[in-house]
Amino acid sequence: MSVRHAPRPAPDEIDAVFAGTLGSFRLDIAFRIPGSGITAVFGPSGSGKTTILRCIAGLQRLAGRCLIGSETWQDDGNGMFREPHERRVGYVFQEASLFPHLSVRGNLRYAARRAGVAPVLGFAAVVEMLGLGLLLERAPAALSGGERQRVAVGRALLSQPRLLLLDEPLSALDQGAREEIISYFEVLHRELSIPMLYVSHDLAEVARLADHLVVIAGGGKLADGPVGEILERLDLHPTAERFEAGVVLDARVAAHDPRYHLSRLRHHGGVITVPLVEAEVGEAVRLRIRARDVALATRRPRAISIRNVLPGTVVEVSEQPNSAYAEALVDIGGGRLRARITREAAADLGLRTGTRVYALVKSISFEHAARH
């Protein structure tokens, strides 16, 4: 059985290598997890996302091998299997799975007692970071879905993991709870140096949270790299819902306009107008801009309601056979936008590499401006 090996990692990075079968499903993949930040694993249903996390945690056994960093955690050829409690990983499931007979405090203390290593993250720090102080004496049954998931994250952190695994942690929550807990994930991202592996089928979550992205399909890797670079790739559109494809841009708050509830963001010398964001002037934010929300013109429009008219150059055009659609990748000077348009429009505009265009983005179409 062959094993794909990634190039030798830089310090603190973790190579993850899987080669084997689970019934009729084959997993043969290798990718790198940076030493901190969030690495998202993205792909369609049945691609192997959750299988990867469960194999890392030792909750599922491939007929094959699993290597994490310099350590072999499973090698059936040598009869070797490291038990889950020996792996020092924290796991957050889709459902919180708290102990119903213990209070929030009891659930957290249980994880801390079982860690078996000197604490890096203390009880008080985790409680404060996740806003759990007022919940400590409550029973899991008295918590909302978002509150239960925050406790589950706290329990995973108090196990003192070297790697935190998050398996679609927002999928079982309603929209209000999702928005509540995702803001806590942003806090974890800013304040913790623990590498996190985040499984999701939701591009909005990936774009908002992840630094690094691994795209998989059918148990194999299609691409991996910085999230911004991967989301710009037009050849990966079949792995995502076509109406959710887009890019992320990093910018800084230049000013707020309270009269119209707008913020002006500085992006590589240009200004982008978005609905008011909760960030201080000078603070870094990340924008997600969907391809369907970008229109193109070859001349600068006049007397138009769209506030963001960004000059740029087409760097790639990809037509989607047997459909009405094409996509264009536009360099706007230090960042790139994807535009989803009709093939007819692309032909009428004469779009090709090097074409000068203006990208038009409505201020209201920006999905989120996350502090980053």
Side-chain angles (χ1 to χ4, degrees), residues 4-49:
R4 298 178 185 173
H5 288 282
R8 189 175 184 83
D12 298 325
E13 294 182 332
I14 302 171
D15 273 342
V17 180
F18 309 86
T21 57
L22 190 67
S24 61
F25 181 76
R26 179 170 183 80
L27 190 65
D28 190 2
I29 190 170
F31 58 88
R32 183 159 299 157
I33 306 170
S36 63
I38 297 176
T39 298
V41 181
F42 177 82
S45 296
S47 58
K49 303 185 299 293

Coordinates of all heavy atoms in Angstrom, one line a residue, residues 4-49:
R4 N 1.3 8.6 0.4 CA 1.8 9.9 -0.2 C 2.5 10.7 0.9 O 1.9 10.9 1.9 CB 0.6 10.7 -0.8 CG -0.1 9.9 -1.9 CD -1.3 10.8 -2.4 NE -2.1 10.1 -3.4 CZ -3.2 10.5 -3.8 NH1 -3.7 11.6 -3.4 NH2 -3.9 9.8 -4.8
H5 N 3.7 11.1 0.6 CA 4.4 11.9 1.6 C 4.5 13.4 1.1 O 4.9 13.6 -0.1 CB 5.8 11.4 1.8 CG 5.8 10.1 2.5 ND1 5.7 10.0 3.9 CD2 5.9 8.8 2.1 CE1 5.7 8.8 4.3 NE2 5.8 8.0 3.2
A6 N 4.2 14.3 2.0 CA 4.3 15.7 1.7 C 5.8 16.1 1.9 O 6.5 15.4 2.5 CB 3.4 16.5 2.6
P7 N 6.2 17.2 1.3 CA 7.6 17.7 1.5 C 7.8 17.9 3.0 O 6.9 18.1 3.8 CB 7.6 19.0 0.7 CG 6.5 18.9 -0.3 CD 5.4 18.1 0.4
R8 N 9.1 17.9 3.3 CA 9.5 18.1 4.7 C 9.0 19.4 5.3 O 9.1 20.4 4.7 CB 11.0 18.1 4.8 CG 11.5 18.0 6.3 CD 13.0 17.9 6.3 NE 13.5 17.7 7.7 CZ 13.6 16.6 8.3 NH1 13.1 15.5 7.8 NH2 14.0 16.5 9.5
P9 N 8.3 19.4 6.4 CA 7.6 20.6 6.9 C 8.6 21.6 7.6 O 9.6 21.2 8.0 CB 6.6 20.0 8.0 CG 7.3 18.8 8.5 CD 8.0 18.2 7.3
A10 N 8.1 22.8 7.6 CA 8.8 23.8 8.4 C 8.6 23.5 9.9 O 7.7 22.8 10.2 CB 8.3 25.2 8.0
P11 N 9.4 24.1 10.8 CA 9.2 23.9 12.2 C 7.8 24.2 12.7 O 7.1 25.1 12.2 CB 10.2 24.8 12.9 CG 11.3 25.0 11.9 CD 10.6 24.9 10.5
D12 N 7.2 23.3 13.5 CA 5.9 23.5 14.1 C 4.8 23.1 13.2 O 3.6 23.0 13.7 CB 5.7 24.9 14.6 CG 6.7 25.3 15.7 OD1 7.1 24.5 16.5 OD2 7.0 26.5 15.7
E13 N 5.0 22.8 12.0 CA 4.0 22.3 11.1 C 3.8 20.8 11.3 O 4.7 20.1 11.8 CB 4.3 22.6 9.6 CG 4.3 24.1 9.3 CD 4.6 24.4 7.9 OE1 5.2 23.5 7.2 OE2 4.1 25.4 7.3
I14 N 2.6 20.3 11.0 CA 2.3 18.9 11.2 C 1.9 18.3 9.9 O 0.9 18.8 9.2 CB 1.1 18.8 12.2 CG1 1.5 19.4 13.5 CG2 0.8 17.3 12.4 CD1 0.3 19.5 14.5
D15 N 2.6 17.3 9.5 CA 2.1 16.5 8.3 C 1.1 15.5 8.7 O 1.3 14.8 9.7 CB 3.3 15.8 7.6 CG 4.0 16.7 6.6 OD1 3.4 17.7 6.2 OD2 5.2 16.4 6.3
A16 N 0.0 15.4 8.0 CA -1.0 14.4 8.2 C -1.0 13.5 7.0 O -1.3 14.0 5.9 CB -2.4 15.0 8.5
V17 N -0.9 12.2 7.2 CA -0.8 11.3 6.0 C -1.8 10.1 6.3 O -1.7 9.5 7.4 CB 0.6 10.7 5.8 CG1 0.6 9.7 4.6 CG2 1.6 11.9 5.5
F18 N -2.7 9.8 5.4 CA -3.6 8.7 5.5 C -3.6 7.8 4.3 O -3.6 8.4 3.2 CB -5.0 9.2 5.7 CG -5.2 10.3 6.8 CD1 -5.0 11.6 6.5 CD2 -5.5 10.0 8.1 CE1 -5.1 12.6 7.4 CE2 -5.6 11.0 9.0 CZ -5.4 12.3 8.7
A19 N -3.5 6.5 4.5 CA -3.6 5.6 3.3 C -4.2 4.4 3.8 O -3.7 3.6 4.7 CB -2.2 5.3 2.8
G20 N -5.4 4.1 3.2 CA -6.1 2.9 3.6 C -7.5 2.9 3.2 O -8.0 3.7 2.4
T21 N -8.3 1.9 3.6 CA -9.7 1.7 3.2 C -10.5 1.6 4.5 O -10.1 1.2 5.5 CB -9.9 0.5 2.4 OG1 -9.4 -0.7 3.1 CG2 -9.1 0.6 1.0
L22 N -11.8 2.0 4.3 CA -12.8 1.9 5.3 C -14.0 1.3 4.5 O -14.8 2.0 3.9 CB -13.2 3.2 5.9 CG -14.1 3.2 7.1 CD1 -13.4 2.6 8.3 CD2 -14.5 4.6 7.5
G23 N -14.2 -0.1 4.6 CA -15.1 -0.7 3.7 C -14.7 -0.6 2.3 O -13.6 -0.9 1.9
S24 N -15.6 0.0 1.5 CA -15.3 0.2 0.1 C -14.7 1.6 -0.2 O -14.3 1.9 -1.3 CB -16.5 0.0 -0.8 OG -17.5 0.9 -0.4
F25 N -14.6 2.4 0.8 CA -14.1 3.8 0.7 C -12.6 3.8 0.9 O -12.1 3.3 1.9 CB -14.8 4.7 1.7 CG -14.3 6.1 1.6 CD1 -14.8 6.9 0.5 CD2 -13.5 6.7 2.5 CE1 -14.4 8.2 0.4 CE2 -13.1 8.0 2.4 CZ -13.5 8.8 1.3
R26 N -11.9 4.4 -0.1 CA -10.4 4.5 0.0 C -10.0 5.9 0.4 O -10.5 6.9 -0.3 CB -9.7 4.1 -1.3 CG -8.2 4.2 -1.2 CD -7.6 3.5 -2.4 NE -6.1 3.6 -2.2 CZ -5.4 2.8 -1.4 NH1 -6.0 1.8 -0.8 NH2 -4.1 3.0 -1.3
L27 N -9.2 6.1 1.3 CA -8.6 7.4 1.7 C -7.1 7.4 1.4 O -6.4 6.5 2.0 CB -8.9 7.6 3.2 CG -8.6 9.1 3.7 CD1 -9.5 10.1 3.1 CD2 -8.8 9.1 5.3
D28 N -6.7 8.2 0.6 CA -5.2 8.3 0.2 C -4.9 9.7 0.1 O -5.1 10.3 -1.0 CB -5.0 7.5 -1.1 CG -3.5 7.3 -1.3 OD1 -2.7 7.8 -0.5 OD2 -3.2 6.7 -2.4
I29 N -4.4 10.3 1.1 CA -4.3 11.8 1.1 C -3.2 12.2 2.1 O -2.9 11.5 3.1 CB -5.6 12.4 1.6 CG1 -5.6 13.9 1.4 CG2 -6.0 12.0 3.0 CD1 -7.0 14.5 1.5
A30 N -2.5 13.3 1.8 CA -1.5 13.9 2.7 C -1.6 15.4 2.6 O -1.8 15.9 1.5 CB -0.1 13.5 2.3
F31 N -1.6 16.1 3.7 CA -1.6 17.5 3.7 C -0.9 18.0 4.9 O -0.6 17.3 5.9 CB -3.1 18.1 3.6 CG -4.0 17.6 4.7 CD1 -4.0 18.3 5.9 CD2 -4.7 16.5 4.6 CE1 -4.9 17.9 6.9 CE2 -5.6 16.0 5.6 CZ -5.6 16.7 6.8
R32 N -0.7 19.3 4.9 CA 0.1 20.0 6.0 C -0.8 20.8 6.8 O -1.6 21.6 6.3 CB 1.2 20.8 5.4 CG 2.1 21.4 6.4 CD 3.5 21.8 5.8 NE 4.1 20.6 5.4 CZ 5.0 20.5 4.4 NH1 5.4 21.6 3.8 NH2 5.6 19.4 4.1
I33 N -0.7 20.7 8.2 CA -1.4 21.6 9.1 C -0.4 22.6 9.7 O 0.5 22.2 10.4 CB -2.0 20.7 10.2 CG1 -2.9 19.6 9.7 CG2 -2.8 21.6 11.2 CD1 -3.3 18.6 10.7
P34 N -0.6 23.9 9.4 CA 0.3 24.9 10.0 C 0.3 24.8 11.5 O -0.7 24.3 12.2 CB -0.3 26.2 9.5 CG -1.0 25.9 8.3 CD -1.6 24.5 8.5
G35 N 1.3 25.3 12.2 CA 1.5 25.1 13.6 C 0.5 25.9 14.5 O 0.5 25.8 15.7
S36 N -0.2 26.9 13.8 CA -1.2 27.6 14.6 C -2.3 28.0 13.5 O -2.1 27.9 12.3 CB -0.6 28.8 15.3 OG -0.1 29.7 14.3
G37 N -3.4 28.6 14.0 CA -4.5 29.0 13.2 C -5.4 27.9 12.8 O -5.4 26.8 13.4
I38 N -6.3 28.2 11.9 CA -7.4 27.2 11.5 C -7.1 26.7 10.1 O -7.0 27.5 9.1 CB -8.8 27.9 11.6 CG1 -9.0 28.3 13.0 CG2 -9.8 27.0 11.1 CD1 -10.4 29.0 13.2
T39 N -7.1 25.4 10.0 CA -7.0 24.7 8.7 C -8.3 24.1 8.4 O -8.8 23.3 9.2 CB -5.9 23.7 8.6 OG1 -4.6 24.3 8.9 CG2 -5.9 22.9 7.3
A40 N -9.0 24.5 7.3 CA -10.3 24.0 7.0 C -10.2 22.8 6.0 O -9.4 22.9 5.1 CB -11.2 25.1 6.4
V41 N -11.0 21.8 6.2 CA -11.1 20.7 5.3 C -12.4 20.8 4.7 O -13.5 20.7 5.3 CB -10.9 19.3 6.0 CG1 -11.0 18.2 5.0 CG2 -9.6 19.3 6.7
F42 N -12.5 21.0 3.4 CA -13.7 21.3 2.6 C -13.9 20.3 1.5 O -12.9 20.0 0.8 CB -13.6 22.7 2.1 CG -14.8 23.1 1.3 CD1 -16.0 23.6 1.9 CD2 -14.8 23.1 -0.1 CE1 -17.1 23.9 1.2 CE2 -15.9 23.4 -0.8 CZ -17.0 23.9 -0.2
G43 N -15.1 19.9 1.3 CA -15.4 19.1 0.2 C -16.9 18.6 0.2 O -17.6 18.9 1.2
P44 N -17.4 18.0 -0.8 CA -18.8 17.6 -0.8 C -19.0 16.4 0.1 O -18.1 15.8 0.7 CB -19.0 17.1 -2.3 CG -17.6 16.7 -2.8 CD -16.6 17.6 -2.1
S45 N -20.3 16.2 0.4 CA -20.7 15.0 1.3 C -20.1 13.7 0.7 O -20.1 13.5 -0.5 CB -22.2 14.9 1.3 OG -22.8 16.1 1.9
G46 N -19.6 12.9 1.6 CA -19.0 11.7 1.2 C -17.5 11.7 0.7 O -17.0 10.7 0.3
S47 N -16.9 12.9 0.8 CA -15.6 13.0 0.3 C -14.5 12.5 1.3 O -13.3 12.4 1.0 CB -15.3 14.5 0.0 OG -15.5 15.3 1.1
G48 N -14.9 12.4 2.6 CA -13.9 11.8 3.6 C -13.6 12.8 4.7 O -12.6 12.6 5.5
K49 N -14.3 14.0 4.8 CA -13.9 15.0 5.7 C -13.9 14.5 7.2 O -12.9 14.6 7.9 CB -14.8 16.2 5.6 CG -14.8 16.8 4.2 CD -15.7 18.1 4.1 CE -17.1 17.9 4.5 NZ -17.9 17.1 3.6

